[in-house]
Amino acid sequence: MSKPPVRVLIHGANGRMGQALLRLAAGHDDLQVVAAVSRRVEQRVQDGVPRFASRELGGVPAFDVAIDFSLPEGFDGMLAHCVSRGAAFVSGTTGLSDSQLAALDAAAQRIPVLWAANFSLGVTVLNLLVERAARDLAEWDCDIVELHHIHKRDAPSGTALALGAAAEQGGATPRYASVRAGDIIGEHTVQFAGIGERIELAHRATSRDVFAQGALTAALRMADRAPGRYGMRDLLAAG
Ligand SMILES: NC(=O)C1=CN([C@@H]2O[C@H](COP(=O)(O)OP(=O)(O)OC[C@H]3O[C@@H](n4cnc5c(N)ncnc54)[C@H](OP(=O)(O)O)[C@@H]3O)[C@@H](O)[C@H]2O)C=CC1
Ligand SMILES: O=C(O)C1=N[C@H](C(=O)O)C[C@H](O)C1
């Protein structure tokens, strides 16, 4: 007998990422979007998916996992809601405060939690490469340059900070520079500069679909996990 589809809630549904998630989710037989949540709701049902405003969470049907790509103002409410429903929480929202990041650890005592600054396979591997390079190049200057679209609010990007943490793990001390321009999806370069030579490790996303597809895959894999804190590296290890 085939498994029933994983029931997914998408939070931040009106946004750039929310729209990509809804479009790509429609092509997955193994999941069903049972609720699309955002601040404002114009139509009660759109493309067969029930819509809810964030103040109406009490009326949302049962779900196995929420995928949150909202903003820091929306994040706390959805995390708390997942804990109260016993559902898994997968989030890519960036610009979070230290206390919001700590709240992920507290929630992970009760539900499966995966937060990642970047859901692309390329950046997941880039983090490993940066940590490795920093181990041998800790004395070199380390600079992280990130470019994003003009609407992005947080800087440095979540990915830049995660790459910085990987560099620090290897012993380097990174500096950050941010550019906000046009419709750039997301580009990150980690430069290690010595005397007479330098290395650049770079990732360029040309479509938001890579983040959305990564988050849908993560949601499918998190739905039936034990409570705990997970990262993209755990998904790599899972194959
Ligand atoms: N980890 C990753 O791989 C990636 C992470 N991101 C991050 O995802 C987040 C969303 O990005 P993007 O889609 O471009 O942003 P948008 O501004 O396009 O969308 C944000 C969404 O969040 C909703 N929202 C905002 N505030 C609240 C609130 N207080 N309560 C409930 N919902 C709220 C908005 O609803 P409404 O429209 O109704 O106001 C909107 O649907 C950002 O933090 C971004 O940095 C982005 C891409 C990849
Ligand atoms: O806001 C975005 O667009 C993106 N945000 C993430 C970040 O802050 O690193 C990931 C990606 O680069 C796109």
Side-chain angles (χ1 to χ4, degrees):
M1 221 166 58
S2 64
K3 271 173 49 174
V6 171
R7 296 165 301 175
V8 176
L9 178 155
I10 292 181
H11 186 225
N14 287 343
R16 283 172 285 272
M17 279 302 297
Q19 290 175 44
L21 284 159
L22 285 166
R23 177 171 44 77
L24 293 173
H28 274 266
D29 293 337
D30 41 4
L31 63 82
Q32 182 190 1
V33 181
V34 296
V37 181
S38 51
R39 252 182 313 203
R40 292 167 293 107
V41 170
E42 269 143 37
Q43 273 176 271
R44 278 290 150 202
V45 178
Q46 233 173 303
D47 299 323
V49 176
R51 298 272 177 161
F52 297 85
S54 22
R55 63 179 180 286
E56 301 171 333
L57 286 178
V60 161
F63 62 97
D64 302 304
V65 52
I67 304 178
D68 164 66
F69 281 82
S70 59
L71 291 175
E73 306 91 276
F75 169 90
D76 299 331
M78 186 48 64
L79 178 60
H81 190 68
C82 285
V83 171
S84 75
R85 294 276 190 115
F89 182 70
V90 169
S91 174
T93 300
T94 60
L96 300 176
S97 65
D98 288 346
S99 64
Q100 287 177 307
L101 291 170
L104 289 167
D105 288 326
Q109 311 274 331
R110 315 258 305 269
I111 57 169
V113 170
L114 189 159
W115 176 85
N118 195 304
F119 277 85
S120 73
L121 175 61
V123 165
T124 306
V125 173
L126 183 62
N127 276 296
L128 300 169
L129 297 175
V130 167
E131 184 178 334
R132 175 67 194 83
R135 241 182 274 140
D136 285 331
L137 305 172
E139 303 309 315
W140 288 20
D141 290 326
C142 175
D143 288 276
I144 301 178
V145 183
E146 54 100 346
L147 293 80
H148 283 88
H149 53 95
I150 197 79
H151 303 291
K152 185 167 176 60
R153 289 199 337 199
D154 54 314
S157 66
T159 306
L161 293 172
L163 290 166
E168 282 174 17
Q169 197 70 33
T173 306
R175 296 176 297 207
Y176 300 92
S178 300
V179 174
R180 297 285 171 267
D183 63 354
I184 301 168
I185 301 286
E187 304 189 0
H188 294 86
T189 303
V190 182
Q191 175 182 274
F192 293 94
I195 305 302
E197 55 179 328
R198 76 192 162 92
I199 288 179
E200 283 182 2
L201 296 169
H203 179 266
R204 295 182 187 90
T206 54
S207 165
R208 271 186 192 92
D209 287 9
V210 291
F211 310 130
Q213 205 60 263
L216 290 168
T217 302
L220 285 167
R221 294 190 185 168
M222 292 300 289
D224 57 4
R225 294 235 178 168
R229 183 82 190 264
Y230 299 89
M232 291 298 282
R233 288 186 191 188
D234 299 312
L235 298 191
L236 273 187

